[in-house]
Amino acid sequence: MKYRFIGLFIAMLCSMATFGQITVKGSVKDKGAIPIPGVNLIVKGTGTSAATDFDGNFSISVPNKNAQIEFSFVGFTNKVVPVGDKTVLDIVLEESSQALDEIVVVGYASVKKSDVTSSISSIKGKELQTMTVGNVAESLQGKVAGVQITGQGGPGAQPRVLIRGISTVNLSTDPLYVVDGIPMGTSINFLSNNEIESMEVLKDASASAIYGSRASNGVILITTKKGKAGKTRFNFDMSSGMQLMSNPYNMANAESYASIMNKAYNNSGYADYLSNPSQYRGKTTDWWKAGIKGGSPVTNASLGVSGGSETHTYAVSLNYYDSESIYEVGGWERVTMRIANDFKFSDKFSAGITLNPRYEKWGGPNNWADFDKIDPITPIYKPADQLTGLENEYSIYARSPSYVWNPIAAVKRYDDYTNQYNLNTNGYLQYQPIKGLVIRTQGSIEVGDKTQSIFRPDFVIDAAHEKAEINSVERKNTTNADWTWQNTVTYTKTFAGKHNASLMIGNTMEEYNSNDVWGYGEGIPNNSDSMRELKAATKNRRSDGNSWSSSLMSYISRFSYNYDAKYYFTGTFRRDGSSKFMDNNKWANFPSASVSWRILNEGFMEPAKSVLSDLRFRAGWGKVGNQNLPAAVYQSNIKQGFYPIGGNVVDTSFPDTMANKDIKWETVEDISFGIDFGLWKNKLSGSLEYYQKKTEDMLFKKQFPTYSGFPGYSTIWTNVGSMQSKGIDLLISYKDKKGDFTYGVDVTFTTVNVDMLSLSADGERLYGAGNRTLTVKGEEPGYFYGYVADGLFQNQTQINAHTDEHGTKLQPYAQLGDIRFKDVNGDGKLDDKDRTKIGSPWADYNVGLNLNFGYKQFDLVANFYSSIGNDIVNENIKDLYNGASLTNKVSGLEQMAWHGEGTSNYVPRLSKDDNNENYTKFSSFYVEDGSYVRMKNLQLGFSFYNKFGLDKLRISLSGQNLWTWTKYTGVDPEVAGGDPDKDDRVKGSGFGAWNYPVQPTILMGLNVAF
């Protein structure tokens, strides 16, 4: 009986709850009576939520007539409406005054965009998600004025990011990335663009000085998505497609190759290299087709779950990214997960924790150039009559007389992969004892494990040139354990209704610890997969290992003030102490100050408000630093090697890096002036900024003086001089809506001019890239330095006229069709003194054009990017045109190369000997205009709202990097160049060889929300 009573009681409660529910229906439109689809509705104080359909209609249940519904949509002001006795609501949303009230993240705080006094560009995560990229920085290309991004191509490759040019010559040029308040170094390969809520780029020192010694290359702040109160929401996003790889060159077939080489031999007085070229007709080995895939799959998939209540919100995301290589093996695979929980225990106390586990695997051959360079006559495999039956699976391939190793065989042997596991934990506690006072502590711990495993099988393709008579195995394991701890106290107060002030003080501590262990061995009994272990090695076992750590302690402060939303001031101060320096230079100060005048709020501007919606002037100054160098440059290091003595190879030790106890911080000081404007309710808006930054005490790794008695290859870190960058950033944006049609246009424009102001000694010359670049006072760093190619000798008269005052020929070995090198200094000799500036890798302008259109359920996005005024060294010319090597040549070279007066004034005659050094002298012959315009993205989408039981369903078709205009004849004009591992990111910039191109990609996309 009692159970029946309990059941009846529960049924009554349920009936009462149901009875109390009210269903509210209605529509949401803008001021022009245009329905707004996708508007979010939340019943305040509950977890109930809904969204409008394509026609702007909605239906939602509320608990009673005292309920309030909040309506929100991007670009419109939120509206809270009490239900009362109404069951039908017709809502009109007002467009917000652009995002003057939107929140922008700055260092260790968030402020209204209208209160920003520094140079900060903000971009929302939604704008980044139209592209499928492995590194989210690529999505910024062309979207932020003052930021130059150069893709590197290849699975997992990190793009080069320059914020307002370069500020260092020898160190990394990458900005600092700060994710959810935690500095994460100079790479964000671990982060999916689907996880990002917003990105802020701190471009000047007045904005980035709060990050002190790590901010000289700029700072990019990233805020990831967090949960929001309301019902649990699921989001699934997926894009999948093919990266297309076509041969950048039309290479000669076997018959044409034989003809070209014969011509080169004959021009040098030799007999034919290959008799009767016609015998090779139809016998071309198509290396490219045999070893390079025309399309490599790429997949990016994310699943997100978010929701919560007013006291607890959560967001969980899982992302999978996979990009295969252009070969049968290799690629980049990444799995990331982000679990964020935020708790509000009371009006005064809140906390949050985020876990970010991730896994990556990468590796792949890097010899795609060999598929073009190897001659087309050599077969892939040895002829049957050359096989003995004793060869292993790696020894059955043919050898090319061009000395290019068989690329098919190299891919078959490839076994070099890296696996990396990381776990980052980021948590915070926040306490607000009184109104306006916030005490916050935040900490992060990251642990990681990276293992690189390499196996090199034994093989013999040619006993003299292409072999490895003994196999080997190598493994390197690197672990890291890093932590940061930040403590801040912020007090915000408004006085007399017009004086608004905020003071923040705090300190941060960071420590980075890492160690590696390396092992090597040879003589593994066989090449099977199960035997590719160090333990299986029987000969020459070796091992090594090391550990290192660095730490940074900082004190930070910021004071902000504005009067009556007209006059703004922000000042910051940071003091950093780094373990990388000795006591006398361990600490450095990094101050900044910026001001803003929002002139539109002045009384005399009242008549202009019918047109103007924003008008501000800004100015900023600040200092930032750079300590991005090895952990202990104040120590001398000994290196181990091997040297033959008395017929035996013995271990040796020798000085490698010399100590410099006086090394100090690299410092960048900059000033900037800007104007922000908006017209017609910010339909047209933008900003114009001028900046100038000066770097002093540049950190540089120099060769140790030979008179010291130390080996000539010994180096020492030192401070070498100063440089200056200046330019302008321009952003213009126009957005409007006509009925069901919406459109927007954004244009970004950037200029950068860089000059060396001084070096450590007058007349000092810093060379790079094998002495092919030069850095001197008064010029931009790393300009191309070589001879001037002054056309080709067309006739004997021109050769005879190229002499000194005594009639001695400047180029005694020159023949008709050879390059004429210019006697630049006019001294009658052609020597090193005639080398001069022949080009610059730095662009004069960078331009971005971003278009978006919408009509009813359709949307279209188009992004373009352009680099103008930079040069590129096309190193492939030496392989493709030079008859002195036996590598394959471009098709039609016989006609391209000089073969009679007037036939060419660019490509020299074909020659086996190249006695004139047409190809061995580095000259302007190699330098080409590197300007280009590229369509970065074109995406067409169609959306369904409240259909199929889903809140939203969107399908899309995208094309990335589909079209490029350029005069550059190399592989790809999007060239960064330089090797960061060799400290020549700047001094070696602009060299385009067989760089992995940025590939065209076709993708289908699916976005689901429910």
Side-chain angles (χ1 to χ4, degrees):
M1 181 69 180
K2 70 175 181 180
Y3 296 110
R4 293 168 63 185
F5 175 77
I6 293 173
L8 179 62
F9 180 71
I10 294 174
M12 290 175 62
L13 288 177
C14 292
S15 298
M16 290 173 64
T18 303
F19 180 76
Q21 293 282 325
I22 300 173
T23 299
V24 178
K25 298 181 178 181
S27 65
V28 181
K29 299 179 181 180
D30 64 12
K31 291 179 69 175
I34 303 298
I36 308 176
V39 175
N40 293 317
L41 290 74
I42 294 179
V43 180
K44 293 184 70 65
T46 74
T48 304
S49 62
T52 59
D53 61 17
F54 175 72
D55 296 316
N57 297 321
F58 68 89
S59 176
I60 191 170
S61 294
V62 299
N64 51 59
K65 66 180 184 180
N66 296 321
Q68 294 180 315
I69 305 175
E70 181 176 14
F71 298 80
S72 63
F73 190 70
V74 175
F76 291 81
T77 302
N78 289 7
K79 192 167 190 175
V80 178
V81 178
V83 173
D85 295 325
K86 299 177 182 178
T87 57
V88 177
L89 296 174
D90 293 317
I91 305 300
V92 176
L93 292 185
E94 304 230 356
E95 293 185 44
S96 61
S97 49
Q98 181 101 4
L100 290 180
D101 293 328
E102 91 180 35
I103 299 300
V104 174
V105 178
V106 297
Y108 305 98
S110 299
V111 300
K112 287 184 179 180
K113 188 174 182 179
S114 58
D115 294 345
V116 171
T117 58
S118 303
S119 182
I120 300 176
S121 293
S122 179
I123 186 166
K124 298 304 178 184
K126 185 178 179 180
E127 299 177 60
L128 306 174
Q129 292 163 19
T130 57
M131 291 191 67
T132 297
V133 293
N135 189 300
V136 69
E138 293 182 56
S139 299
L140 287 175
Q141 192 176 55
K143 293 184 173 70
V144 180
V147 179
Q148 177 188 353
I149 296 176
T150 307
Q152 299 291 284
Q158 180 177 338
R160 184 179 72 176
V161 180
L162 300 179
I163 298 179
R164 289 182 169 176
I166 58 174
S167 58
T168 185
V169 170
N170 207 50
L171 302 180
S172 169
T173 58
D174 295 312
L176 171 69
Y177 295 96
V178 179
V179 180
D180 292 333
I182 301 298
M184 299 298 291
T186 57
S187 174
I188 50 170
N189 264 18
F190 62 87
L191 196 61
S192 164
N193 53 0
N194 289 318
E195 298 172 324
I196 294 176
E197 183 69 28
S198 67
M199 296 179 72
E200 275 77 26
V201 182
L202 312 187
K203 297 188 290 187
D204 67 354
S206 67
S208 60
I210 197 72
Y211 290 100
S213 63
R214 306 181 68 183
S216 65
N217 296 320
V219 180
I220 296 180
L221 307 180
I222 299 174
T223 303
T224 61
K225 294 179 179 178
K226 297 292 192 295
K228 296 179 181 178
K231 74 172 186 179
T232 299
R233 294 181 176 272
F234 294 85
N235 292 277
F236 176 73
D237 301 284
M238 182 175 181
S239 58
S240 183
M242 298 292 288
Q243 296 175 318
L244 309 179
M245 183 66 174
S246 58
N247 197 328
Y249 299 107
N250 181 20
M251 304 302 294
N253 59 28
E255 182 180 8
S256 178
Y257 170 77
S259 177
I260 292 170
M261 294 312 302
N262 285 349
K263 185 74 171 178
Y265 271 64
N266 297 159
N267 285 347
S268 297
Y270 300 102
D272 286 351
Y273 172 65
L274 296 167
S275 61
N276 188 18
S278 62
Q279 67 175 305
Y280 299 102
R281 188 171 300 162
K283 298 180 180 180
T284 299
T285 301
D286 193 339
W287 293 94
W288 187 274
K289 184 177 180 180
I292 302 295
K293 296 188 296 186
S296 51
V298 59
T299 300
N300 185 30
S302 293
L303 176 64
V305 183
S306 64
S309 63
E310 292 185 353
T311 58
H312 171 223
T313 58
Y314 59 89
V316 180
S317 64
L318 177 66
N319 175 261
Y320 174 76
Y321 187 91
D322 181 52
S323 176
E324 295 187 14
S325 79
I326 58 177
Y327 312 93
E328 292 183 0
V329 298
W332 180 46
E333 187 178 29
R334 181 190 68 196
V335 180
T336 65
M337 190 174 189
R338 185 169 291 272
I339 307 168
N341 283 276
D342 292 274
F343 305 90
K344 186 176 182 181
F345 301 110
S346 68
D347 292 338
K348 295 184 177 182
F349 190 58
S350 60
I353 185 168
T354 300
L355 299 177
N356 178 208
R358 62 184 187 270
Y359 164 76
E360 292 180 73
K361 180 181 180 180
W362 67 89
N366 191 28
N367 68 330
W368 74 267
D370 292 344
F371 289 84
D372 270 348
K373 292 196 294 184
I374 192 169
D375 71 85
I377 293 175
T378 300
I380 296 174
Y381 299 97
K382 291 178 180 177
D385 59 0
Q386 294 182 16
L387 297 174
T388 65
L390 300 177
E391 294 89 356
N392 67 13
E393 60 180 311
Y394 305 110
S395 302
I396 60 176
Y397 297 91
R399 171 190 173 265
S400 167
S402 67
Y403 295 99
V404 177
W405 280 28
N406 189 309
I408 301 290
V411 171
K412 183 69 175 178
R413 295 191 303 269
Y414 186 85
D415 188 355
D416 181 352
Y417 295 97
T418 301
N419 291 271
Q420 181 167 337
Y421 301 86
N422 286 80
L423 174 62
N424 178 270
T425 304
N426 178 4
Y428 72 89
L429 295 171
Q430 185 168 297
Y431 179 56
Q432 187 173 356
I434 58 173
K435 183 179 179 181
L437 179 63
V438 177
I439 302 171
R440 182 183 177 95
T441 183
Q442 182 172 0
S444 172
I445 298 175
E446 176 163 299
V447 293
D449 183 277
K450 180 171 70 173
T451 301
Q452 182 183 16
S453 301
I454 306 171
F455 181 79
R456 303 178 183 90
D458 57 288
F459 69 98
V460 179
I461 291 176
D462 177 74
H465 301 289
E466 195 169 345
K467 64 177 181 177
E469 294 181 340
I470 190 169
N471 58 17
S472 65
V473 63
E474 184 177 349
R475 185 162 295 168
K476 182 177 181 179
N477 178 258
T478 304
T479 61
N480 69 282
D482 310 325
W483 62 266
T484 66
W485 188 21
Q486 304 171 171
N487 300 282
T488 59
V489 178
T490 305
Y491 184 65
T492 303
K493 180 71 173 177
T494 298
F495 303 92
K498 294 186 177 181
H499 300 271
N500 306 287
S502 177
L503 174 65
M504 184 271 290
I505 59 173
N507 81 302
T508 72
M509 291 171 279
E510 306 172 26
E511 184 173 283
Y512 303 90
N513 303 281
S514 186
N515 67 77
D516 62 40
V517 177
W518 171 81
Y520 175 85
E522 298 175 343
I524 293 85
N526 60 61
N527 294 325
S528 64
D529 291 345
S530 60
M531 296 294 289
R532 299 181 178 191
E533 302 289 346
L534 285 170
K535 191 173 183 179
T538 61
K539 298 179 180 179
N540 298 328
R541 286 189 174 184
R542 300 197 298 270
S543 63
D544 200 356
N546 195 15
S547 62
W548 58 94
S549 66
S550 64
S551 58
L552 188 70
M553 176 175 281
S554 310
Y555 300 95
I556 58 176
S557 62
R558 175 193 289 111
F559 175 71
S560 301
Y561 170 81
N562 80 73
Y563 173 73
D564 199 20
K566 298 178 184 178
Y567 315 112
Y568 296 82
F569 169 81
T570 302
T572 69
F573 181 81
R574 176 162 174 148
R575 180 169 172 79
D576 278 346
S578 172
S579 64
K580 296 182 178 181
F581 302 97
M582 294 295 287
D583 289 343
N584 54 336
N585 290 313
K586 186 176 293 293
W587 291 89
N589 301 322
F590 302 101
S592 78
S594 56
V595 295
S596 176
W597 178 26
R598 195 172 182 199
I599 189 174
L600 187 65
N601 284 355
E602 296 287 359
F604 59 81
M605 293 294 293
E606 195 66 31
K609 287 187 176 181
S610 60
V611 176
L612 288 173
S613 45
D614 187 26
L615 184 61
R616 288 182 293 166
F617 297 100
R618 292 182 284 104
W621 165 89
K623 283 187 175 183
V624 289
N626 195 338
Q627 50 111 35
N628 188 21
L629 71 171
V633 296
Y634 52 80
Q635 294 179 348
S636 295
N637 296 317
I638 302 296
K639 194 171 185 179
Q640 186 179 17
F642 303 94
Y643 193 81
I645 299 177
N648 297 316
V649 177
V650 299
D651 290 346
T652 61
S653 298
F654 53 90
D656 178 39
T657 302
M658 312 309 298
N660 184 354
K661 298 183 183 299
D662 296 322
I663 196 79
K664 58 184 177 181
W665 304 79
E666 186 173 280
T667 304
V668 178
E669 180 178 9
D670 82 7
I671 58 172
S672 63
F673 303 93
I675 179 173
D676 303 312
F677 61 89
L679 293 87
W680 307 298
K681 294 185 178 180
N682 279 332
K683 287 184 180 179
L684 176 65
S685 62
S687 64
L688 175 65
E689 298 178 73
Y690 169 81
Y691 67 90
Q692 178 177 300
K693 58 183 182 180
K694 181 180 179 182
T695 307
E696 294 183 318
D697 299 320
M698 290 186 300
L699 292 164
F700 196 87
K701 195 175 184 180
K702 295 181 65 176
Q703 180 177 322
F704 206 69
T706 53
Y707 58 75
S708 65
F710 290 101
Y713 43 72
S714 297
T715 57
I716 183 170
W717 282 93
T718 187
N719 299 98
V720 299
S722 61
M723 64 185 291
Q724 179 176 272
S725 299
K726 58 185 178 181
I728 62 170
D729 298 342
L730 173 66
L731 167 65
I732 297 178
S733 178
Y734 186 83
K735 294 176 174 60
D736 200 3
K737 178 166 59 173
K738 302 292 184 183
D740 291 331
F741 180 65
T742 61
Y743 61 95
V745 181
D746 291 334
V747 178
T748 63
F749 178 82
T750 302
T751 70
V752 180
N753 295 290
V754 186
D755 291 305
M756 296 299 302
L757 299 180
S758 67
L759 291 168
S760 55
D762 288 340
E764 185 171 17
R765 302 161 72 85
L766 303 178
Y767 294 93
N771 289 338
R772 293 178 296 172
T773 69
L774 183 63
T775 300
V776 296
K777 179 181 177 180
E779 294 281 359
E780 70 264 46
Y783 66 76
F784 304 136
Y785 183 68
Y787 294 92
V788 175
D790 191 19
L792 305 180
F793 289 113
Q794 298 292 337
N795 51 56
Q796 191 62 43
T797 301
Q798 292 180 356
I799 294 178
N800 295 339
H802 196 49
T803 63
D804 64 12
E805 60 182 357
H806 303 295
T808 303
K809 293 181 180 179
L810 298 183
Q811 295 174 234
Y813 301 105
Q815 296 186 32
L816 298 181
D818 282 338
I819 293 177
R820 176 174 54 211
F821 296 106
K822 191 173 183 179
D823 178 14
V824 173
N825 63 359
D827 65 354
K829 294 184 292 184
L830 196 62
D831 56 20
D832 193 64
K833 295 179 182 178
D834 293 306
R835 297 174 69 200
T836 187
K837 181 179 180 179
I838 56 175
S840 172
W842 310 114
D844 296 323
Y845 315 102
N846 293 109
V847 183
L849 173 63
N850 305 287
L851 309 173
N852 64 82
F853 306 92
Y855 180 72
K856 293 187 176 181
Q857 292 163 270
F858 288 94
D859 61 86
L860 177 68
V861 174
N863 308 117
F864 298 84
Y865 181 73
S866 177
S867 176
I868 302 171
N870 60 294
D871 299 309
I872 300 175
V873 174
N874 185 358
E875 297 186 277
N876 293 354
I877 286 174
K878 189 171 184 178
D879 293 319
L880 301 175
Y881 299 164
N882 184 11
S885 72
L886 298 179
T887 58
N888 197 11
K889 314 302 174 190
V890 293
S891 179
L893 182 58
E894 307 103 307
Q895 297 303 312
M896 293 171 56
W898 188 95
H899 54 280
E901 186 169 356
T903 55
S904 174
N905 200 38
Y906 173 64
V907 181
R909 68 187 179 95
L910 288 167
S911 170
K912 170 66 175 69
D913 294 329
D914 192 23
N915 292 326
N916 189 59
E917 300 182 291
N918 295 323
Y919 293 92
T920 54
K921 278 186 186 296
F922 178 61
S923 71
S924 57
F925 171 55
Y926 286 99
V927 180
E928 298 181 10
D929 182 0
S931 303
Y932 71 91
V933 178
R934 170 166 281 167
M935 177 186 283
K936 291 300 299 180
N937 187 33
L938 181 65
Q939 184 181 88
L940 176 65
F942 184 84
S943 299
F944 299 92
Y945 295 93
N946 294 325
K947 299 288 187 181
F948 319 113
L950 304 172
D951 292 338
K952 181 179 179 182
L953 171 65
R954 180 177 181 270
I955 55 176
S956 62
L957 175 64
S958 300
Q960 297 179 184
N961 308 304
L962 293 181
W963 173 82
T964 302
W965 176 89
T966 184
K967 293 181 179 179
Y968 177 61
T969 64
V971 174
D972 187 356
E974 197 164 345
V975 171
D979 187 345
D981 296 328
K982 296 180 180 178
D983 303 314
D984 70 344
R985 206 45 154 163
V986 172
K987 303 192 304 299
S989 188
F991 284 82
W994 297 92
N995 49 298
Y996 205 119
V998 175
Q999 297 168 258
T1001 307
I1002 304 295
L1003 297 144
M1004 288 293 296
L1006 177 68
N1007 310 95
V1008 180
F1010 57 94

